[in-house]
Amino acid sequence: MLKPDTLALTVVLALLTALGPLSTDMYLPSLPAIAAGLQATTGQAQMTLSAFLLGFAAGQFVYGPVSDRVGRRPVLLFGLGLFSLASLICALAPTIEVLIGARFLQALGASGPIVLGRAIVRDFYEGPRAGRELSRMGSIMGVVPAVAPVLGGLIAQFYEWRMTFAVMLICGIALAATVLLRLPESIRTKSDAPLSFTAILAGFGMLLRHPAYRIYVSFSMLAYGGLFAFISGSSFVLQEVYRLDELSFAFSFAFMVVGYIAGTFLAQRLVGRHGLDGTIRFGVASLAAGGTLMVVLVASGAPSSFAITGPMAIYALGVGLTMPQAMASALMPFPERAGAASSLLGICQMTFAAILGIVLGQNLGGSALPLPTAIAGTGILALIVFAATGRVRGRAA
């Protein structure tokens, strides 16, 4: 059995938390091929990504409370089983409508391992040790967006798009087998509290009445919204407008990830000197600068795909500076409701990104301009919100 304080357990928990990003980023190079193969429009193909995000947000609502009541292992196995079944349906989907529905189910399954992977860390570890474990797992989350598109690009170049979902199916089955055979039940005392939908909603309402919470959640929503706009629209823009092949697109996508990782490393230095709000200030400025530069370059007719990927690296640097500090600031006033505050933040973030992705998908066509417009809009709005809410944030501090 996997035991605490072992590398094997850390690797398994990290892979569980990486399942969601893997499921989105690995199939991005295949989006144009999916649209062509299923005779779908660009907007319909992009809906497979937005449906995944909506399912991911919905799943976060239930997995934590249910696992507190019945245990981590059975709920985790259910999530992995649902993910694997949905991946099989995706691989065999005869129409774009079936694929969209299967992606929603796949996300419902994938959200469980992420929520429960972190819960298991809290079960096994306390204090600084839990923080170190989550940091080690989080480093995988930075690597997956760089590796997954490259893997997806290789699959798309040598096989048809259905093979990407077959690889996801294999990953889901392998993780389910590991959990079934090797992962012990981690929860020590199961909760006897009733699972009430009304009670959860009432708690969420209390959180939303806190002004500082709303502000910091908005920073996280806007930063991730622009990032998701790039994730959902870049495959069409870079492959169809700038004529990159699948593998070249994958490496261009990885360029953005380097910006994000650089932002997270820079934030660790800045937060000690400038605090959470000071680091967010640098972050929202980078978001606005990257988005604006992208609009200028694309509108001026720059022929290179670097007009998209270069400014996106600057925007991603801002995401790395903004999102972790905004999340920490949002949770800080609620030590007794940190779980609920984290869940609601994730739901808001994912829902906003999905809506933005749907709107972007409906406007993508022969022009690259809708993509930088969406990214610049989120960055500039984040900067405006920061400038307009200094007094409220100051009172909260």
Side-chain angles (χ1 to χ4, degrees), residues 26-89:
M26 189 166 68
Y27 95 122
L28 290 177
S30 298
L31 275 176
I34 290 172
L38 296 180
Q39 298 180 336
T41 65
T42 296
Q44 286 176 317
Q46 192 277 335
M47 273 289 293
T48 64
L49 192 55
S50 295
F52 187 93
L53 214 62
L54 289 172
F56 200 84
Q60 291 188 66
F61 189 89
V62 297
Y63 277 106
V66 172
S67 72
D68 287 339
R69 183 71 182 268
V70 305
R72 311 294 187 213
R73 265 173 49 93
V75 180
L76 185 53
L77 286 169
F78 172 82
L80 289 168
L82 180 59
F83 173 85
S84 300
L85 176 62
S87 298
L88 177 62
I89 298 173

Side-chain angles (χ1 to χ4, degrees), residues 12 32 50 95 138 154 193 205 221 227 235 253 257 278 303 307 327 356 359 379 384:
V12 170
S50 295
T95 65
L154 289 170
M221 288 169 56
L227 181 65
S235 59
F253 189 88
V257 177
M327 290 178 178
L356 182 62
V359 174
I384 292 172

Side-chain angles (χ1 to χ4, degrees), residues 25 139-150 227 230-231 249-268 286 306 309-321:
D25 298 343
S139 66
I140 302 294
M141 302 293 287
V143 174
V144 166
V147 174
V150 176
L227 181 65
F230 178 79
I231 291 172
F249 161 72
F251 283 109
S252 297
F253 189 88
F255 192 72
M256 175 272 295
V257 177
V258 172
Y260 170 75
I261 294 175
T264 60
F265 277 107
L266 182 59
Q268 295 175 39
S286 184
F306 191 73
T309 57
M312 191 61 209
I314 299 173
Y315 186 96
L317 179 79
V319 175
L321 288 168

Side-chain angles (χ1 to χ4, degrees), residues 74-340:
V75 180
L76 185 53
L77 286 169
F78 172 82
L80 289 168
L82 180 59
F83 173 85
S84 300
L85 176 62
S87 298
L88 177 62
I89 298 173
C90 288
L92 301 175
T95 65
I96 191 65
E97 290 80 12
V98 172
L99 183 59
I100 291 170
R103 285 286 287 172
F104 182 84
L105 290 177
Q106 190 185 41
L108 284 178
S111 63
I114 290 180
V115 171
L116 297 176
R118 294 168 183 163
I120 290 170
V121 170
R122 294 195 295 271
D123 294 338
F124 280 142
Y125 308 111
E126 296 180 1
R129 179 65 184 88
R132 287 197 303 272
E133 189 72 6
L134 286 170
S135 296
R136 292 167 68 185
M137 292 164 55
S139 66
I140 302 294
M141 302 293 287
V143 174
V144 166
V147 174
V150 176
L151 176 59
L154 289 170
I155 293 172
Q157 205 163 52
F158 295 104
Y159 302 95
E160 69 166 331
W161 61 266
R162 297 179 188 274
M163 183 59 68
T164 303
F165 293 106
V167 172
M168 295 181 197
L169 171 61
I170 293 170
C171 292
I173 292 174
L175 283 171
T178 302
V179 170
L180 180 64
L181 299 175
R182 299 296 182 187
L183 187 68
E185 177 57 61
S186 61
I187 196 167
R188 296 168 188 172
T189 305
K190 295 178 182 178
S191 172
D192 57 1
L195 294 172
S196 169
F197 182 78
T198 303
I200 295 174
L201 289 181
F204 285 171
M206 183 277 295
L207 294 169
L208 289 173
R209 286 191 292 272
H210 194 287
Y213 180 79
R214 295 197 301 268
I215 291 168
Y216 288 116
V217 167
S218 71
F219 290 141
S220 184
M221 288 169 56
L222 289 166
Y224 185 75
L227 181 65
F228 181 75
F230 178 79
I231 291 172
S232 64
S234 60
S235 59
F236 293 102
V237 171
L238 293 177
Q239 291 179 250
E240 296 187 356
V241 177
Y242 290 95
R243 302 301 179 186
L244 300 185
D245 60 28
E246 291 90 344
L247 198 55
S248 298
F249 161 72
F251 283 109
S252 297
F253 189 88
F255 192 72
M256 175 272 295
V257 177
V258 172
Y260 170 75
I261 294 175
T264 60
F265 277 107
L266 182 59
Q268 295 175 39
R269 293 180 174 272
L270 291 177
V271 74
R273 282 181 256 168
H274 300 280
L276 293 170
D277 258 28
T279 307
I280 293 173
R281 181 188 300 113
F282 290 113
V284 295
S286 184
L287 296 175
T292 302
L293 179 60
M294 192 187 300
V295 168
V296 170
L297 291 176
V298 172
S300 65
S304 171
S305 62
F306 191 73
I308 298 290
T309 57
M312 191 61 209
I314 299 173
Y315 186 96
L317 179 79
V319 175
L321 288 168
T322 302
M323 274 184 52
Q325 325 313 319
M327 290 178 178
S329 299
L331 302 185
M332 196 176 301
F334 309 104
E336 303 302 322
R337 291 178 174 266

Side-chain angles (χ1 to χ4, degrees), residues 46 50 225-226 228-229 232 351-361 374-375 378:
Q46 192 277 335
S50 295
F228 181 75
S232 64
T351 303
F352 173 74
I355 293 171
L356 182 62
I358 292 171
V359 174
L360 176 62
I375 294 170
T378 59

